[in-house]
Amino acid sequence: MQGLELKNLEKHYSGNDQPTIRRFSAKFEPGEFVVLVGPSGCGKSTLLRMIAGLVPVSNGAINLDGKDITNVESNLRNISMVFQNYALFPHMNVYENLAFGMRIRKEATQTIEKTVTEAAKILHLQDLLDKKPGALSGGQRQRVALGRAFVRKPKVILFDEPLSNLDARLRIEMRQEILKFHEQCGAISIYVTHDQHEAMTMADRMIILNQGVACQTGTPEEVYNNPVDQFVAGFVGSIPMNFIHGRGILNEGRSFFQVGSYKIDLSHIGKDYQLDWSKNSGGLTLGVRPEDIYLDEHYSHAVAPSPKMAAQVKMVEYLGDSTIVHLEGDIGSFKSRFNKDLRVRKSQKLDFVFDLKKLHLFTEEGNKLPC
Amino acid sequence: MSVRRLILYVMLTAGAVSFIYPFLWMGSISLRPMTEFQDLGLFSKNFTLANYQAVFDRIPIGRAFMNSCLIAGTVTCSVIFFSSLVGYSLAKLKFKGQGAIMAIVMISMMIPGQLTLIPLYQLIVYFGWADSYLGLIVPSLMSGMGILIFRQTFMTIPYELMEAARMEGAGEFQILRKIFWPLAKPAIVTIGILTFMGSWNEVLWPMIVVHEKAMMTLPQMVVLFTKGGESGGQFGVEMAANMMLVVPIIISYSFFQKYFVEALASSGIKG
């Protein structure tokens, strides 16, 4: 098989009860840009270092283009890595940083010069070749780090949170640069970040990791619209999904979600559950994204409205393109995202509805019920 | 200028002069005839190199100078090389017994050198290295202080630089040579100066293991010359010998002073 394949990878650190990475399997096609995303400490950087050969694998196998590279030295894997802090050698100028690997491999001076010049041209580093990393801006250092990965002509490029040291504006610029660079390289890019927004905007495919386990793999749209569990649902989305904790009840053969006096007929969500809620404690969590909450009578015909509920505005965050409203009602606290033109005031009491077609239901264990 | 600042400057100047004056006076006396040795001034109309000529005539100080250069140079290079290897492994590699090695290094720094003189001498005699360069050099090939300074310096260098170099195919020694040594220049200079000074000024150990004049080091020769009676009590000649002892140290220190202060400040170690 062409591409990179990870088979049941595991990593155990001595002294830790739980493995850092648990039976992780994935396939990466050539030219694909895959983002590994998860909260801090979920094992994503460890996984990246295992692929790079910097951390030994406890169990499982890594295949690149059909060859087992699990125990191959990191420099012989044809894999490059862009580090979080760029890892540029501070005592060498940009040219020497780019040429470092080729010098170690004792490549001919002419080849080094040609390759470095080519990389410098692609990444607009021609005027910076004599400068040392200390004299460069964050973005320029980032480009040098990309250049160092590029000159190896690798089959896989690993990015370990490369934008986390940049300010917000530069981060957006560098995202585009990295994607452009990825297209020029044609290699498999595996990009690690804890920023789900970055993941959503860059990925062809994203893998959500939690406690060393891959929770879900899919395109950003798939993951956003159909999260497999409550963790993914809560992690993906720049404003987290609202979770409303209630109970499932069966009444005259129909299933309902109930919190306090508020009740939603689950058959309206698109599936008649017919579940025997008495078998478990009946605990159920309703997930709704902030943009799927509407002011009563302000929703379009495309929306399938839930029964209305009253809530009071606790806080308003005006973002320019939209407004985030923090609400408190009988069902608990939740957030809604409204059109920028819709103005609400603090302490105002309003009626809301959910779009029933966009609701998600989770069991007490966080597993998603089919909708 | 405020009065406080003025007082401060006066005090600092007085301190500086009290430190530097004896040294300048020693240099001055070494260049003046015997008749002027009671003059506490620095200047004279009769400056002469006769005292230096006398030193060269009476003792093989040239040979002793070369011996000292060879021994201090070899010891300095070896301490830098071996201590950086140990410092690197203690700072950046993980292996069993790492803590024990570190403890041994620390303990070795706490034991006064005088305590090890006799066992060390017996060992040197056993190997047949008495009255040889090996006897003077081998016991000083490594230094606990050097290891400690290198370890502290290398610990501040991020692991990512090692990993980046490793992914490019660099081995451990290449990482040390191409990344860590250039980044640890202040530490290298500090250890270099401290080791060179220590080795250059060492008198006790050469006195014990060396008895042949041809093998003697410069300080050993100067001590024997000034205290052993060969100088004939001529103050100017003694000062000339002392000047020849200290000038190389002062020259090297003035060249590397910047790095020296920087490294001592960053490693938290007192000179």
Side-chain angles (χ1 to χ4, degrees), chain A residues 151-167:
Chain A
V151 293
R152 278 196 79 175
K153 308 255 185 286
K155 288 188 174 167
V156 182
I157 302 179
L158 308 171
F159 296 87
D160 189 6
E161 308 208 28
L163 304 183
S164 56
N165 292 337
L166 304 179
D167 63 52

Side-chain angles (χ1 to χ4, degrees), chain A residues 22-42:
Chain A
R22 276 185 278 183
R23 300 184 69 76
F24 183 92
S25 296
K27 287 179 182 172
F28 304 88
E29 303 289 334
E32 203 178 15
F33 196 100
V34 181
V35 177
L36 285 173
V37 61
S40 296
C42 71

Side-chain angles (χ1 to χ4, degrees), chain A residues 19 27 82 166 178 186 190 207 218 223 247 253 270 319 342 360 365:
Chain A
K27 287 179 182 172
V82 178
L166 304 179
I178 288 174
I190 305 176
I207 300 174
V223 173
R247 297 174 59 78
L319 300 180
L342 198 67
H360 306 266
E365 293 77 33

Side-chain angles (χ1 to χ4, degrees), chain A residues 169-181:
Chain A
R169 192 171 169 177
L170 195 54
R171 215 179 293 170
I172 294 166
E173 269 175 43
M174 285 312 294
R175 273 188 216 154
Q176 301 310 315
E177 292 255 1
I178 288 174
L179 289 175
K180 212 164 86 185
F181 167 76

Side-chain angles (χ1 to χ4, degrees), chain A residues 19-22 39 41-43 209-213 215 231:
Chain A
T20 309
I21 298 291
R22 276 185 278 183
C42 71
L209 271 177
N210 187 27
Q211 294 181 340
V213 178
C215 302
F231 169 77

Side-chain angles (χ1 to χ4, degrees), chain A residues 49 52 54 74-75 79 81 83 85 87-91 101 104-105 148 152, chain B residues 158 160-171 174 178-180 182-183:
Chain A
R49 285 179 146 68
L54 296 170
S74 59
N75 59 310
I79 293 176
M81 187 155 169
F83 291 86
N85 60 5
L88 301 178
F89 306 124
H91 57 294
I104 293 283
R105 292 188 290 277
R148 199 168 58 184
R152 278 196 79 175
Chain B
E160 282 86 350
L161 291 187
M162 285 173 75
E163 290 177 337
R166 218 171 264 163
M167 285 194 75
E168 298 286 3
Q174 278 175 314
K178 291 182 181 283
I179 314 288
F180 280 63
L183 293 179

Side-chain angles (χ1 to χ4, degrees), chain B residues 227-259:
Chain B
K227 304 292 171 203
E230 281 185 78
S231 63
Q234 287 176 295
F235 209 56
V237 180
E238 288 177 6
M239 289 302 131
N242 283 330
M243 279 304 286
M244 287 158 85
L245 185 62
V246 297
V247 162
I249 294 282
I250 289 163
I251 291 173
S252 60
Y253 181 82
S254 58
F255 268 114
F256 298 115
Q257 187 201 18
K258 190 186 108 192
Y259 292 109

